[in-house]
Amino acid sequence: LPLLLPLLAPATPRPAPGQFELVAADIGQGTAVLVRTQAHLLVYDTGPRYGPEADAGERVLLPLLRRRGESRIDLLMLSHRDADHIGGAAALLAALPVGQVLTSIDADSGLLPALPHYRRCRAGQSWDWDGVHFEVLHPEGDGAAAAVKPNALSCVLRVAAPGRSALLTGDIEAPQEAALLERAGAALRADLLLVPHHGSKTSSTASFIAAVRPRWAVIQAAYRSRYGHPAPPVLARYARAGIEIVRSDRCGAWTWPADGGAPWCERDGARRYWHHHRQGDPASAQRGPPLASVGRCRAVEARSPSKCPSMSR
């Protein structure tokens, strides 16, 4: 009987010292990334709030963390105050112990009083966990007075282990990219880039892409994003640089294993129920007949087109 006990609570695999695993969650229009070392977990942003009774923290991140055997968040980094980056924070704070919070959220944010042990992120902050180095590259100094909008204050984090590195950028835009190039230069180099501002045309300048020179550019954006993310010119810049683009609206959750193995997509191109293709679209023919929910939506559209706007476009 004692030998059967480990089967009831199997050990959860963890990275070896000097390694980290990265998971870009499938949360729709927003950002949420898990970085796991051997003994520590960092959560970078918590995705959007979907409505009064639903958010990415409760619907996506908590089930994901529980499935992975995570019982604590050592550091929660909330890059800036936009709702698609902090919408799930309250749910995580209520459900799990959080050791520390790093954020650029200002004092008039309603979330700030609920944050335990929080500090403002500042360029130059760094720490080491289990042989993995973490460094905040932006914002510099106070910055709040000079910032025109919250995007400019996004906490930028570089994670580096022997032989691999990742750069998490929040919603920085072209001026912040230029400032990083001036301050950090070659230190921006990373194998993985979380594409700034979900692939917005306000970010991902050619000079910034050239400095980072990532192997993978990960874009977290909604399916048919109402903001037009990722913008075609941005995609073209990454493509011209020979960088592999990963999109959450097509890939789902994206995992970079700790052991250096090949990254993998949660669904690798498989359709979700909201992925509609017009009749006659070659992609639709290749993927088989429409899903049942799409068929029901067509029936609704016949009676009331306004109730099924995505089918009418």
Side-chain angles (χ1 to χ4, degrees):
L1 289 178
L3 294 176
L4 294 176
L5 291 178
L7 298 177
L8 301 177
T12 303
R14 294 290 184 242
Q19 296 181 347
F20 68 90
E21 179 189 35
L22 185 145
V23 178
D26 185 9
I27 42 78
Q29 183 67 38
T31 294
V33 175
L34 313 182
V35 180
R36 157 54 78 175
T37 67
Q38 184 179 52
H40 296 86
L41 173 67
L42 180 145
V43 176
Y44 182 92
D45 284 341
T46 60
R49 185 169 181 81
Y50 303 128
E53 298 180 356
D55 59 69
E58 181 182 8
R59 292 290 181 91
V60 180
L61 296 180
L62 281 175
L64 174 61
L65 292 171
R66 288 167 178 152
R67 174 65 181 84
R68 292 169 52 88
E70 304 287 3
S71 59
R72 168 186 170 86
I73 298 172
D74 295 282
L75 193 150
L76 175 62
M77 179 170 279
L78 301 174
S79 66
H80 63 297
R81 65 179 296 169
D82 282 0
D84 58 336
H85 291 253
I86 65 170
L92 293 187
L93 290 165
L96 293 174
V98 175
Q100 189 176 28
V101 178
L102 273 178
T103 184
S104 69
I105 295 174
D106 47 28
D108 63 349
S109 169
L111 181 63
L112 199 62
L115 300 180
H117 316 296
Y118 78 89
R119 291 188 299 155
R120 294 189 66 83
C121 53
R122 293 284 182 267
Q125 294 168 333
S126 65
W127 64 94
D128 292 278
W129 283 344
D130 314 313
V132 179
H133 185 67
F134 296 76
E135 184 177 3
V136 178
L137 302 181
H138 186 79
E140 186 179 32
D142 185 9
V148 177
K149 52 185 177 179
N151 289 354
L153 291 177
S154 293
C155 306
V156 175
L157 179 69
R158 188 174 187 270
V159 184
R164 65 204 310 241
S165 56
L167 187 65
L168 311 180
T169 57
D171 278 358
I172 61 169
E173 299 182 348
Q176 292 78 54
E177 292 178 356
L180 279 169
L181 285 170
E182 184 176 348
R183 291 199 311 267
L188 292 175
R189 173 75 180 92
D191 302 291
L192 179 150
L193 172 65
L194 183 66
V195 171
H197 202 180
H198 320 287
S200 166
K201 60 184 178 182
T202 63
S203 307
S204 295
T205 58
S207 55
F208 183 76
I209 294 172
V212 180
R213 289 185 292 124
R215 181 175 178 183
W216 298 283
V218 179
I219 301 172
Q220 286 186 305
Y223 175 67
R224 290 187 174 177
S225 165
R226 61 176 175 164
Y227 304 104
H229 298 157
V234 170
L235 293 174
R237 283 198 288 273
Y238 284 102
R240 284 195 298 270
I243 297 165
E244 183 176 343
I245 298 169
V246 180
R247 297 173 50 167
S248 62
D249 58 337
R250 297 180 179 178
C251 169
W254 187 84
T255 299
W256 196 19
D259 61 5
W264 54 275
C265 283
E266 173 194 13
R267 51 190 167 90
D268 198 18
R271 283 178 61 191
R272 292 293 180 94
Y273 65 87
W274 60 82
H275 286 189
H276 167 64
H277 294 275
R278 295 179 179 86
Q279 288 185 345
D281 181 353
S284 180
Q286 292 171 4
R287 296 171 185 264
L291 301 179
S293 58
V294 175
R296 286 194 295 272
C297 198
R298 285 203 178 102
V300 171
E301 182 188 24
R303 298 191 300 270
S304 178
S306 63
K307 293 184 180 180
C308 200
S310 65
M311 306 294 293
S312 304
R313 286 196 292 271

